[in-house]
């Protein structure tokens, strides 16, 4: 139109144009150079410049292709701000959970301890049998709440990368037997069978024994909780075809609809989120078990269908398998 960019006052910062020209003169071309131009109304827009030098009518010219990226940049800024706000909210939530968990554990331990003393009549009879029953109820409720708080604390530690593993060589058969004994009373009370599929020469596993035990007990407890009377919970372990250590816990319970599996695996998620759901729980067992498996470099997979039952498989990578040290279920 017969006017230079200087006469039109296009560049917000003339130094940007100078930098663009120098780059083209030096390299012969430029790609994805970001610069800001102004409209005649003074509106500042962001553009992406790509260009090169060409010869036209015997003269060297500069050919530029300019793309308006103003809206894209606004969207990127909005996305970045939203992510920062989300990260801040997540950090705040994690810190709150950790702080509250620590604050609640101290009085809970006192409640559990004193109720245990009262139930055992350590300092003399309570006077009425009902008081003993009430004391046992207080202890059981406190223990349940303490278990929940410990799970919340573990979740917050994992989310803030503060949970460290204490790895040792684990006798898998012995560990599984220990987990089975810990939940056998609950299974017997629910009228269920816990079966262990025989497996010879189970190799040892390099893992955090406490955390592996936590995974297995969480999964066994879930299976017992959601399996009707007369059902079966089965646990087995061994190496699969790709050399990974595999733990499988299956049940003949009520199952989960496929569309609800991801919800069940999310923190505080409930496959049945209604207020009237029959089974208690905060929705931490499965996601915590998955996080602990992933902390070991493994993974947790869940397969289920309503009325069929649920199978949860936990994999540990081949490098955690210790050959030459074996035991049997």
């Amino acid at each position: 139109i017969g006017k230079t960019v200087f006469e039109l006052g296009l560049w917000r910062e003339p130094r940007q144009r100078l930098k663009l020209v120098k780059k083209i003169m030096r390299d012969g071309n430029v790609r994805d150079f970001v610069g800001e131009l102004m409209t005649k109304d003074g509106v500042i827009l962001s553009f992406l410049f790509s260009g090169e030098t060409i010869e036209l009518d015997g003269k060297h010219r500069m050919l530029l292709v300019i793309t308006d990226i103003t809206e894209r940049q606004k969207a990127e800024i909005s996305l970045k701000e939203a992510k920062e706000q989300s990260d801040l909210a997540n950090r705040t939530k994690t810190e709150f959970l950790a702080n509250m968990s620590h604050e609640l554990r101290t009085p809970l331990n006192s409640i559990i301890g004193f109720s245990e003393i009262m139930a055992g009549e350590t300092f003399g009879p309570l006077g009425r049998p009902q008081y003993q029953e009430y004391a046992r109820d207080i202890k059981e409720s406190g223990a349940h709440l303490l278990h929940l708080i410990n799970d919340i604390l573990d979740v917050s530690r994992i989310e803030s990368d503060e949970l460290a593993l204490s790895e040792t060589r684990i006798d898998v058969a012995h560990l599984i037997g220990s987990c089975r004994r810990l939940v056998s009373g609950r299974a017997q009370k629910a009228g269920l069978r816990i079966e262990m599929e025989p497996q010879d020469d189970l190799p040892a596993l390099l893992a955090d024994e406490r955390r592996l035990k936590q995974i297995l007990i969480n999964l066994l407890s879930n299976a017992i909780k959601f399996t009707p009377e007369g059902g079966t919970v089965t646990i087995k372990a061994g190496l699969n075809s790709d050399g990974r250590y595999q733990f499988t816990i299956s049940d003949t319970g009520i199952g989960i609809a496929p569309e609800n599996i991801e919800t069940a695996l999310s923190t505080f998620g409930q496959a049945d989120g209604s207020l009237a759901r029959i089974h208690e729980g905060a929705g931490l067992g499965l996601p915590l078990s998955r996080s602990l498996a992933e902390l070991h470099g493994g993974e947790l997979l869940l397969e289920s269908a309503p009325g069929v039952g649920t199978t949860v498989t936990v994999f540990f990578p081949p490098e955690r398998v210790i050959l030459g040290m074996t035991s049997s279920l």
Side-chain angles (χ1 to χ4, degrees):
I1 59 178
K3 290 186 178 182
T4 67
V5 291
F6 297 112
E7 293 171 322
L8 292 171
L10 285 179
W11 285 88
R12 182 188 184 191
E13 291 287 344
R15 285 175 297 181
Q16 284 187 332
R17 176 190 175 276
L18 183 61
K19 186 177 178 181
L20 173 67
V21 172
K22 282 184 176 180
K23 184 169 179 60
I24 293 179
M25 297 302 292
R26 183 183 71 242
D27 302 333
N29 64 77
V30 68
R31 295 288 180 271
D32 300 333
F33 180 91
V34 179
E36 293 179 324
L37 303 181
M38 287 194 300
T39 69
K40 62 181 179 181
D41 299 323
V43 178
I44 298 171
L45 303 174
S46 296
F47 290 88
L48 203 61
F49 295 81
S50 293
E52 58 187 53
T53 56
I54 63 170
E55 189 173 320
L56 184 65
D57 297 332
K59 294 182 179 181
H60 288 288
R61 306 288 185 182
M62 189 185 301
L63 175 65
L64 291 175
V65 177
I66 309 173
T67 306
D68 187 346
I69 60 169
T70 307
E71 293 303 318
R72 189 173 83 187
Q73 279 199 334
K74 287 180 180 178
E76 289 174 352
I77 291 171
S78 297
L79 186 63
K80 182 180 178 183
E81 289 176 349
K83 185 179 183 304
E84 289 175 350
Q85 290 176 357
S86 175
D87 289 344
L88 177 61
N90 194 49
R91 285 197 302 273
T92 303
K93 178 209 70 177
T94 300
E95 290 171 3
F96 170 77
L97 290 176
N99 291 335
M100 287 304 298
S101 297
H102 281 298
E103 290 296 323
L104 290 170
R105 286 174 73 181
T106 301
L108 263 178
N109 281 323
S110 297
I111 291 169
I112 294 169
F114 288 137
S115 61
E116 189 172 19
I117 290 172
M118 292 169 64
E121 297 183 323
T122 305
F123 300 110
L126 295 176
R128 288 182 177 272
Q130 290 93 331
Y131 291 150
Q132 270 191 319
E133 184 180 342
Y134 296 157
R136 282 194 294 269
D137 289 343
I138 293 171
K139 179 190 172 185
E140 289 177 6
S141 298
H144 174 73
L145 190 53
L146 183 61
H147 176 73
L148 175 60
I149 289 170
N150 286 335
D151 281 352
I152 292 173
L153 188 58
D154 283 340
V155 168
S156 66
R157 283 173 177 167
I158 291 173
E159 288 182 349
S160 57
D161 295 324
E162 292 179 358
L163 197 152
L165 297 177
S166 178
E167 299 175 347
T168 58
R169 293 187 177 192
I170 299 173
D171 182 333
V172 173
H174 180 268
L175 181 70
I176 290 176
S178 173
C179 292
R180 182 188 184 186
R181 286 191 295 274
L182 283 171
V183 300
S184 60
R186 201 178 315 169
Q188 187 175 6
K189 187 177 179 181
L192 306 177
R193 295 190 313 277
I194 297 182
E195 297 182 351
M196 297 168 64
E197 290 196 4
Q199 178 72 47
D200 294 328
D201 300 329
L202 279 177
L205 179 68
L206 179 64
D208 186 317
E209 184 170 357
R210 180 187 166 207
R211 298 306 177 182
L212 177 55
K213 197 170 188 178
Q214 189 175 2
I215 292 171
L216 296 179
I217 289 176
N218 276 344
L219 298 180
L220 285 168
S221 298
N222 260 11
I224 292 169
K225 184 195 302 184
F226 295 105
T227 301
E229 185 177 357
T232 303
V233 175
T234 305
I235 180 169
K236 61 180 179 179
L239 299 184
N240 62 12
S241 57
D242 59 7
R244 292 190 296 174
Y245 221 124
Q246 176 178 319
F247 295 85
T248 303
I249 295 176
S250 56
D251 63 60
T252 56
I254 60 176
I256 304 171
E259 63 270 19
N260 292 330
I261 287 178
E262 197 53 43
T263 300
L265 288 170
S266 63
T267 304
F268 298 110
Q270 296 279 358
D272 177 10
S274 65
L275 292 175
R277 65 177 184 265
I278 299 172
H279 305 283
E280 63 177 16
L284 287 174
L286 280 173
L288 180 55
S289 297
R290 180 164 72 169
S291 295
L292 290 173
E294 291 171 351
L295 204 60
H296 284 83
E299 63 175 326
L300 181 149
L301 299 179
L302 188 152
E303 297 174 311
S304 188
V308 175
T310 300
T311 297
V312 182
T313 307
V314 182
F315 300 95
F316 288 84
E319 55 267 26
R320 290 191 171 276
V321 178
I322 303 175
L323 299 174
M325 179 180 174
T326 61
S327 59
S328 301
L329 282 178

